[in-house]
Amino acid sequence: MEHLLQVSDLEVQFGTYAGVVKAVRGVDFQICPGEVVAIVGESGCGKSVTAQAIMRLIPSPPGKVTGGSILFNGQDLLKKSERQMRKIRGNTIGMIFQDPMTFLNPVLSISTQVTENLRLHKGMSVQQARERAVELFNLVGIPEPEIRLKQYPHQFSGGMRQRVMIAMALACDPKLLIADEPTTALDVTIQAQIMELLKEIKDRLDTAIILITHDLGVVAGIADRILVMYAGQIIESGTVDEVLKTPSHPYTWGLLKSIPRLDMAKGQKLSPIWGQPPDLLQQLAICPFLPRCDFAMEICTQKMPSTYEGSKVKCWLKHPQAPQIHFSREVS
Amino acid sequence: MLNYLLRRFFSVILALWIVVTVTFVFMHIIPGGPFQREKALPPAIKANIEARYKLDQPLHAQYLDYLGHLVRGDLGPSFKYRGRSVNDIIKERFPVSAQLGATAILIALLVGVPAGILAALKQNKIPDYAVMFFSTIGIAMPSFVVGTTLMYFLAYKWGLLPAAMWGSYKHMIMPAIALAGLPMAFIARLTRSSMLDVLNQDYMKTAVAKGLPQMRVLWVHGVKNALIPVITYLGPLVAGVLTGSFIVENIFAVPGLGKHFVTSIYNRDYTVILGVTIFYCVLLILANLLVDLAYTLIDPRIKLGGRKELV
Amino acid sequence: MQLSTGLFKPLPQKVIQADLVRPSTTYWQDAWRRLKQNPVAMVSLVLIVLIILVAIIGPLLSPYSYSEQDFIRKNQGPSAAHWFGTDGLGRDLFTRILYGARISLSIGFVASLVTLGVGVLYGGISGFAGGRVDNIMMRFVDIMYSIPFLLWVILMMVYLKEKLPENAGLISMYFALGLVFWLPMARIVRGQILSLKEQEFVLAAHTIGAPKGRILLRHLIPNCVGPIIVTATLAIPEAIFTEAFLSFVGLGVSAPRASWGMLASDALTSLKSYPHLLFFPAAAICITLLAFNFLGDGLRDALDPKMRK
């Protein structure tokens, strides 16, 4: 099957007053049409940067894509001009962001903000655009759309605003929807509603979704595959079952272990991953997870691990000569 | 809305009342004030003053009389110019100042805002440095320095413009620039920092992510937000142009209210000093009210009289 | 790829690689570093120190006094004997400018002290107390704000010049400026305190029984130090400007004392023929104002990068 999106060896860096920060260091993944892929990782691991790089939204200066290719429908997005990218953004690729409060323009009406790209990309008239907006609002579950369209962002609640963002992103029927931490700024109950909505969108519209989050719990219900990122690299990837039930990388294992469960024994201590993510100013010649890894070996201090098992895990534990360790845990 | 206007009206009246009472105290009560030092006054004026201000009456009667005159808009006679009242002086001279002031405000806005936007767009490049450089000079150079420098070069050395006085549009150029200097510089900086702020805002990212053309993102999404602090500055801007007029009109011998105000300070013409002060206060209070109303038109988050939403 | 078996032995303990994580610095170290990187601010700092030194020592070293008149040499341009030339009464302009520096700088520092002393306390108490006290205190401030500061100062000066003897111009100015210069600082500090008050470290201090005064002085105000320093620094050029303005309209110090504004004002009438009389005082004013403004901006950028322009 022809991949919808194919990212190969992507590298992104940022120039700061302290030096050059390599935020993304050689990322490879693919997405098929209609597939939902979740990218998970801690703050600062490079997942948002990867997503923004796909849309060519990295502010430059200080950011720069220094290597790799991003093939969307066979065409390399990194080679396109700004004009060509503008035809794609909001049109065939849509994006929703983390904090709907700050990502909506406070002084423009909702109607303006939702109909803008309809009129631009699809050449609709004001009337047509407004009708489509009402349709969209019904799709995402915003009641009384006609009234709501005339209002301003500050008159909406957090969950409603996120629905508006989703409506905006879906307006032109994109093939790919990038959701950058869409529920992080919302209450837990609203979170669930939004995730339900995204699932519905995947089912009804057959849109591929890249879901970026640091919350593993959010992922399980909707994703087909999971990519785990750490220090700018994908260190493990696989189907939801593979990653959540039989993780291979110690980091993934640590993440899963650290999630508190309802059936924990009373007084049982939580087990976080000690330590901090590495300083991305440095060139990392060895495994970045080393200082925090419970399973580190001699070779981990000497060389960067290659990916094993068909590009799924980046860890020396998967080398044929390494001791066999199985991580397994029942995750509902 | 009505509620808000009423409350505003009352606090305006309160502020004015305090100003008026303070000036009354200055004039009548504090020893050494104008009415106590009647030594130098010619008898004709002295008699006139005494009759007008009812100085033989008890203090509270004087006060009420004073308030009564004020409510009717009568600011009293001039101390120094026989037969002329403060009202006359204001009526005669204010239009000139208003013309000059309005021109200065227009210059400040029409130059400052685009300069600020340009600087923000080309941050850390040459246009930015140029705008920042000139605006810093504009802020640090007092209006009398700007004015006199302009006068020296444009009028004396090169003879391009008349040095002083009033009459044609040529007479307006130098004073207006001198007056606009500081506000223009400040507006440029304010617009620049506001624009930079806006450019970094998340909603700009959303606009770009929708594939909107650059011009639209900039002007419709960006500038509208960036102008909000500039509008807030309009109040102090009017105040600054007003106080700036004292110096500028003086240097360029413009027959405006500011120049006369300065002269009356020299002459210790107390009624004029205090009368014009009250007039200026009323003016500023009205200007601030207008600015507040304009502010609510631009920013839909502000409801009149309600708490501002802190985003 | 076959590698030596020894490479796959597990490591005995967690390797904490200290050099993988960046060292942390304190707020003040960060701020000082940022300030040092700002060339304009550093130049201004040096300039200001120089001006202060010159103002203190300069007049002592000059062979002329500020009032010494010499009608033969009046209105001369700059020369070896008189570095800045002489004025209409034959007085040495350079010396008069040095004395003027003393006046201008003293006004600037007095204003700054007033904002620090009165402004910080007023704003701090108002913000901390909250409720009715805050309302009343701020209502007073708002009313003061309804008249431009300059008008307050002018009114004050007109009155004081009447009441006080001839040579008290400088003292009057200290008073008049002191009357209004604390207002902006009070507003800023109050705003900061209002937002800091709700934070948890205040609650914590309260819980361990710290008296209110201590909470205000030791916990809240030190956290506002950034904006306080910037406002106090920027008050100085504001005050110098106001003094120049007042002197220019004749409400400042009285002759033969020299202030920069007065020198500029005197120079106006003979501008066409003797431009040097205006140029030097004007340059002194501008350079001083620029230096303080740049330093204030630099401090603002250094102390609070979020406010960075």
Side-chain angles (χ1 to χ4, degrees), chain A residues 222-257:
Chain A
I222 182 178
D224 297 318
R225 286 192 295 129
I226 300 182
L227 310 172
V228 182
M229 271 188 86
Y230 187 79
Q233 298 174 345
I234 296 183
I235 48 137
E236 174 156 10
S237 69
T239 65
V240 166
D241 280 339
E242 282 170 358
V243 176
L244 293 184
K245 292 209 177 113
T246 54
S248 301
H249 196 283
Y251 177 58
T252 320
W253 172 229
L255 280 181
L256 290 168
K257 243 192 338 163

Side-chain angles (χ1 to χ4, degrees), chain B residues 15-59:
Chain B
L16 275 178
W17 177 77
I18 293 188
V19 168
V20 156
T21 309
V22 165
T23 58
F24 179 79
V25 162
F26 261 133
M27 286 177 65
H28 292 248
I29 300 184
I30 300 185
F35 293 121
Q36 274 77 4
R37 57 181 293 285
E38 292 144 26
K39 22 188 164 109
L41 287 177
I45 287 202
K46 186 165 169 186
N48 196 9
I49 298 270
E50 272 175 11
R52 165 74 171 76
Y53 284 98
K54 303 190 175 37
L55 288 179
D56 46 327
Q57 299 233 352
L59 214 53

Side-chain angles (χ1 to χ4, degrees), chain C residues 27 31-32 34-35 38 41 45 226 229-234 292-305:
Chain C
Y27 176 59
W32 177 235
R34 275 194 288 264
L35 190 64
N38 185 341
L45 187 58
I229 291 183
V230 174
T231 311
T233 307
L234 287 175
F292 273 107
N293 268 313
F294 277 133
L295 183 63
D297 281 348
L299 281 172
R300 183 194 289 135
D301 281 350
L303 287 168
D304 188 356

Side-chain angles (χ1 to χ4, degrees), chain B residues 126-141:
Chain B
I126 298 196
D128 185 19
Y129 289 136
V131 168
M132 285 306 280
F133 178 72
F134 283 112
S135 69
T136 312
I137 293 189
I139 290 182
M141 272 179 91

Side-chain angles (χ1 to χ4, degrees), chain A residues 77-279:
Chain A
L77 293 180
L78 293 176
K79 291 211 168 57
K80 287 198 182 272
S81 73
E82 187 58 27
R83 267 189 111 190
Q84 292 169 318
M85 278 310 295
R86 266 180 269 171
K87 292 214 181 67
I88 295 179
R89 290 186 199 125
N91 197 359
T92 41
I93 306 182
M95 190 153 178
I96 60 180
F97 296 92
Q98 176 175 332
D99 186 351
M101 182 69 242
T102 57
F103 276 96
L104 288 174
N105 195 323
V107 302
L108 296 176
S109 73
I110 294 290
S111 163
T112 313
Q113 299 190 54
V114 174
T115 56
E116 273 183 310
N117 52 345
L118 278 172
R119 301 192 53 210
L120 172 70
H121 293 299
K122 302 282 187 193
M124 289 189 185
S125 72
V126 174
Q127 188 55 30
Q128 290 173 317
R130 201 167 294 155
E131 282 166 18
R132 171 91 176 118
V134 171
E135 254 177 58
L136 286 164
F137 272 28
N138 284 324
L139 172 67
V140 300
I142 298 179
E144 298 182 308
E146 288 89 359
I147 301 178
R148 289 308 216 164
L149 276 173
K150 297 208 186 89
Q151 291 181 334
Y152 288 88
H154 66 275
Q155 293 169 288
F156 284 60
S157 73
M160 282 295 149
R161 277 187 225 129
Q162 194 59 292
R163 291 175 197 263
V164 169
M165 285 262 281
I166 296 177
M168 260 170 29
L170 291 177
C172 301
D173 292 316
K175 298 267 181 335
L176 173 65
L177 183 66
I178 304 179
D180 189 354
E181 307 225 35
T183 55
T184 308
L186 302 171
D187 291 339
V188 176
T189 43
I190 312 287
Q191 251 184 40
Q193 288 176 13
I194 299 292
M195 291 314 296
E196 268 305 309
L197 176 58
L198 286 178
K199 199 152 171 221
E200 227 185 274
I201 288 169
K202 166 199 168 174
D203 293 334
R204 280 169 64 171
L205 301 178
D206 210 29
T207 325
I209 303 180
I210 297 180
L211 178 62
I212 298 174
T213 177
H214 61 259
D215 185 351
L216 276 172
V218 147
V219 158
I222 182 178
D224 297 318
R225 286 192 295 129
I226 300 182
L227 310 172
V228 182
M229 271 188 86
Y230 187 79
Q233 298 174 345
I234 296 183
I235 48 137
E236 174 156 10
S237 69
T239 65
V240 166
D241 280 339
E242 282 170 358
V243 176
L244 293 184
K245 292 209 177 113
T246 54
S248 301
H249 196 283
Y251 177 58
T252 320
W253 172 229
L255 280 181
L256 290 168
K257 243 192 338 163
S258 65
I259 299 178
R261 289 163 54 121
L262 282 174
D263 59 351
M264 275 163 69
K266 221 176 172 175
Q268 185 179 346
K269 289 208 182 121
L270 294 172
S271 46
I273 308 176
W274 297 106
Q276 290 180 4
D279 180 4

Side-chain angles (χ1 to χ4, degrees), chain B residues 18-19 26 30 37 136 140-142 144-145 148 152 156 189 192 196 243 247 265 268 270 274 281 284, chain C residues 143 147-148 150 154-155 159 162-163 241 244-245 248 251 268 272 275 278 285-286 289-290 294 297 309:
Chain B
I18 293 188
V19 168
F26 261 133
I30 300 185
R37 57 181 293 285
T136 312
M141 272 179 91
F144 56 84
V145 171
T148 46
Y152 180 68
Y156 290 144
R189 289 188 133 192
R192 175 187 181 273
L196 280 178
T243 51
I247 289 218
I265 294 177
R268 303 292 191 262
Y270 296 98
L274 296 166
C281 289
L284 284 172
Chain C
I143 289 174
I147 301 184
L150 208 52
I154 289 178
L155 285 176
Y159 172 65
E162 274 309 302
K163 286 236 56 193
F241 177 88
F245 185 101
F248 198 81
L251 278 176
L268 195 57
K272 195 165 185 180
L278 175 68
I285 296 176
C286 289
L289 288 182
L290 272 170
F294 277 133
D297 281 348
K309 285 188 297 227

